[in-house]
Amino acid sequence: MSEFTTGLDYAKEQDRQDKLASFRKKFHIPKDKNGNDWLYFTGNSLGLQPKTTKDYVNQELKDWANLGVEGHFYAKNPWLNYHEYLTKSMANIVGAKPIEVVIMDTLTTNLHLLMVSFYRPTKTKFKILIESDAFPSDRYAVQTQLDFHGFDAKEGIIEWRPRSGEDLLNIEDLETILEEQGDEIALLLIGGVNYYTGQYLDLKRIAEIGHSKNCMVGIDLAHGAGNIQPELHNSGVDFAAWCTYKYLNSGPGSLAGLFVHEKHANNKELKRFAGWWSHNKSTRFNMRQPLDIIPGAEGWQLSNPPILSMAAIKASLDMFNEVGIDALRKKSVKLTSYFHFLITDLKNEKIRIITPSNPEERGCQLSIKVKNADKSLHDKLTRENIITDWREPGVIRCAPVPFYNSFQDVFKMVEKLKEVLDD
Ligand SMILES: *Cc1c(COP(=O)(O)O)cnc(C)c1O
């Protein structure tokens, strides 16, 4: 027996009971030309804009206009320490200690900077393990790191792939790879929530398996941050990075998060690429000091950060603080389980959900595989102002986001899906 029921009345009742329902009004929801809200299911790609973002950014524009360079010290939120205002909230969201987290640069940049420190290949132990469905940017980053160190990328990349005929990764296969080839592997770089299938992997297990063969373990959390609760500190992974424009609603191309586990916080022997923002804050502006690295994640910073983008992140994180990641995740599990229930109930052979059905093994996204990779289905949804995204090969990704999607959104979406499938 399912906990869910079909029918619009049920969806309406769930929205009435939803304690987070009022947050929808705090976001700009794009509308069609008749003024109806789009059914926006792509928070996994670009989160919607909080209505407060404009005020946060305007504050910094105003302080810059009125204070010029003095804004570094006298702005309402002095720019010099701006990233510090974000650390605690961000650490909360990913389950880390403040010393382990900093907001800086962009995701792919951070992956490279982290690999400078944590990918230290030797002649015999140099390979990098990724998922066969790794995000292209991560794969290119890994390829070029191998190349940079003088290794052949073809030989140097080991792929963890689903078994033949399956869609999802199996942790036992990772164990086998490590047992057989672990002595040659220097680094595991894995998407914590896979962008294509939506599978949420067991980070703690991955860290244990990697560490048992003395490999470093890094996690790309682009699809995890603000979506699931990765408990980064307890997982024991060495490092992680994520962007803030997906589930963290901070605007296109906004800055990224970087995590370095506390166990590495005071290791000044780690190689790194540094800049003046890596240096001890109390002597940074004396300008003549030899490099004195800040302990923890802040020591990976290079540059003074773009405050306008930081302001948009602050607007979003303040909302996360207000609602709490526990409450968001709780609603998310219910909303996506409901979505899963309705799609399954269609019993339509043209589509198949490849995301795990167990809520513990997924975030809010469901990936729907379409028979014969028929992209016209996605196009028809888009024409109905149902915004999902198409990913080769043959998948429609849909993410009901607990912050701003409702049970009625999900209901209406599946009704339309049924219509276009029957078309
Ligand atoms: C979104 C995403 C990226 C994008 O990288 P940027 O540097 O922010 O452009 C990279 N990797 C993964 C896994 C992603 O989901």
Side-chain angles (χ1 to χ4, degrees):
M1 264 305 279
S2 167
E3 63 173 304
F4 304 111
T5 310
T6 53
L8 179 59
D9 287 346
Y10 178 81
K12 283 184 173 165
E13 181 54 29
Q14 298 315 303
D15 284 333
R16 263 195 297 277
Q17 290 176 16
D18 173 15
K19 293 191 184 72
L20 306 190
S22 62
F23 279 91
R24 180 184 177 90
K25 291 200 294 289
K26 301 185 185 208
F27 287 86
H28 291 288
I29 315 271
K31 294 183 187 345
D32 67 19
K33 54 185 187 307
N34 301 319
N36 299 316
D37 288 351
W38 283 357
L39 294 176
Y40 194 81
F41 281 82
T42 36
N44 59 319
S45 186
L46 183 69
L48 291 178
Q49 185 186 138
K51 289 181 178 165
T52 50
T53 302
K54 200 182 250 172
D55 297 334
Y56 281 64
V57 175
N58 276 341
Q59 178 68 45
E60 304 317 323
L61 287 171
K62 202 166 78 188
D63 286 341
W64 176 25
N66 293 333
L67 296 166
V69 72
E70 296 290 293
H72 284 297
F73 305 101
Y74 303 115
K76 182 172 172 225
N77 311 300
W79 302 330
L80 199 54
N81 309 318
Y82 205 104
H83 72 273
E84 294 175 12
Y85 316 146
L86 312 176
T87 301
K88 212 170 145 225
S89 316
M90 188 56 99
N92 241 337
I93 289 172
V94 295
K97 298 187 177 185
I99 195 172
E100 296 174 319
V101 169
V102 70
I103 308 277
M104 57 177 265
D105 294 306
T106 55
L107 170 53
T108 308
T109 311
N110 290 349
L111 288 177
H112 275 299
L113 292 172
L114 287 161
M115 280 193 273
V116 166
S117 302
F118 294 103
Y119 175 54
R120 305 290 305 153
T122 66
K123 274 205 175 64
T124 54
K125 194 173 174 67
F126 65 93
K127 296 186 179 176
I128 305 179
L129 182 137
I130 59 175
E131 324 109 271
S132 55
D133 253 329
F135 195 87
S137 198
D138 302 37
R139 182 181 287 270
Y140 302 149
V142 162
Q143 276 172 359
T144 49
Q145 283 283 335
L146 278 157
D147 183 54
F148 176 75
H149 286 281
F151 298 104
D152 175 8
K154 272 209 192 72
E155 196 195 341
I157 292 182
I158 295 184
E159 291 183 357
W160 175 19
R161 53 176 59 255
R163 293 177 187 178
S164 153
E166 297 184 8
D167 300 294
L168 301 172
L169 295 170
N170 188 322
I171 198 88
E172 286 163 19
D173 297 340
L174 182 68
E175 272 169 358
T176 309
I177 296 173
L178 268 285
E179 269 161 32
E180 290 171 3
Q181 302 174 73
D183 294 338
E184 298 172 9
I185 298 174
L187 170 69
L188 277 54
L189 184 67
I190 309 274
V193 176
N194 183 272
Y195 81 100
Y196 177 77
T197 62
Q199 181 179 16
Y200 171 24
L201 295 162
D202 183 341
L203 305 188
K204 194 163 183 204
R205 224 26 231 117
I206 291 174
E208 284 164 5
I209 294 169
H211 291 157
S212 74
K213 286 286 184 175
N214 292 320
C215 310
M216 286 289 174
V217 177
I219 299 293
D220 184 324
L221 264 188
H223 285 269
N227 178 25
I228 44 88
Q229 296 176 282
E231 298 298 338
L232 278 181
H233 176 81
N234 291 337
S235 76
V237 302
D238 297 286
F239 68 88
W242 57 94
C243 53
T244 64
Y245 50 79
K246 291 172 178 165
Y247 295 106
L248 294 171
N249 310 322
S250 300
S254 189
L255 296 170
L258 174 146
F259 165 92
V260 174
H261 196 277
E262 192 180 29
K263 65 191 165 197
H264 302 297
N266 291 298
N267 183 357
K268 296 193 179 184
E269 301 301 307
L270 282 171
K271 301 283 181 209
R272 71 183 84 202
F273 291 167
W276 67 328
W277 242 247
S278 328
H279 180 95
N280 185 338
K281 290 176 228 184
S282 64
T283 57
R284 180 182 289 152
F285 293 97
N286 299 349
M287 304 303 236
R288 296 286 188 275
Q289 255 64 16
L291 175 61
D292 177 11
I293 297 282
I294 307 174
E298 286 189 341
W300 269 264
Q301 298 172 106
L302 276 66
S303 303
N304 80 100
I307 299 298
L308 300 181
S309 182
M310 289 260 174
I313 298 176
K314 187 164 191 314
S316 166
L317 294 186
D318 284 353
M319 286 180 74
F320 271 86
N321 278 340
E322 194 185 333
V323 53
I325 187 76
D326 291 344
L328 276 169
R329 173 67 174 151
K330 191 161 171 237
K331 173 175 171 186
S332 175
V333 166
K334 185 166 177 188
L335 192 62
T336 292
S337 298
Y338 174 58
F339 191 29
H340 194 281
F341 163 77
L342 289 180
I343 293 173
T344 310
D345 192 60
L346 294 179
K347 300 186 179 70
N348 192 305
E349 284 178 3
K350 288 185 207 157
I351 55 169
R352 175 169 66 84
I353 298 171
I354 60 171
T355 309
S357 51
N358 177 2
E360 312 262 302
E361 294 170 32
R362 67 177 186 223
C364 67
Q365 171 187 326
L366 293 183
S367 300
I368 303 173
K369 195 145 201 174
V370 185
K371 205 168 187 178
N372 302 325
D374 179 5
K375 187 163 189 282
S376 72
L377 184 64
H378 170 260
D379 297 339
K380 285 179 195 161
L381 289 172
T382 308
R383 277 201 292 280
E384 300 281 351
N385 295 313
I386 299 170
I387 312 303
T388 60
D389 78 15
W390 178 261
R391 276 287 172 269
E392 297 294 346
V395 157
I396 299 175
R397 298 188 304 174
C398 316
V401 170
F403 240 138
Y404 46 77
N405 283 121
S406 65
F407 289 83
Q408 286 174 78
D409 281 353
V410 167
F411 178 84
K412 290 180 202 161
M413 190 286 181
V414 179
E415 285 290 287
K416 280 286 175 208
L417 180 64
K418 184 172 180 213
E419 258 177 57
V420 298
L421 279 167
D422 292 343
D423 226 10

